[in-house]
Amino acid sequence: MNCQHHGCPCQNASIERDGKKFCSEKCAEMETTGRHASHCACGHPSCKAA
């Protein structure tokens, strides 16, 4: 399943929070608190290329 953090292209979402799936704790925190950045900061290689 794809990460449900807006703007994150990661496809391996294994962390669940508030009924949504995320690729990292960082993405989960950013999405559930409503904070967004111009670039995803989860640190996964696929996001660095995006």
Side-chain angles (χ1 to χ4, degrees):
M1 172 175 248
N2 291 344
C3 181
Q4 291 181 277
H5 175 220
H6 181 73
C8 180
C10 287
Q11 296 179 353
N12 185 15
S14 58
I15 296 169
E16 187 170 348
R17 190 178 290 175
D18 294 339
K20 293 184 177 181
K21 296 270 189 175
F22 302 99
C23 69
S24 68
E25 286 292 335
K26 188 168 272 197
C27 279
E29 180 182 337
M30 287 176 24
E31 184 70 22
T32 57
T33 60
R35 294 183 324 198
H36 300 289
S38 58
H39 298 302
C40 183
C42 72
H44 295 126
S46 62
C47 285
K48 289 180 182 176

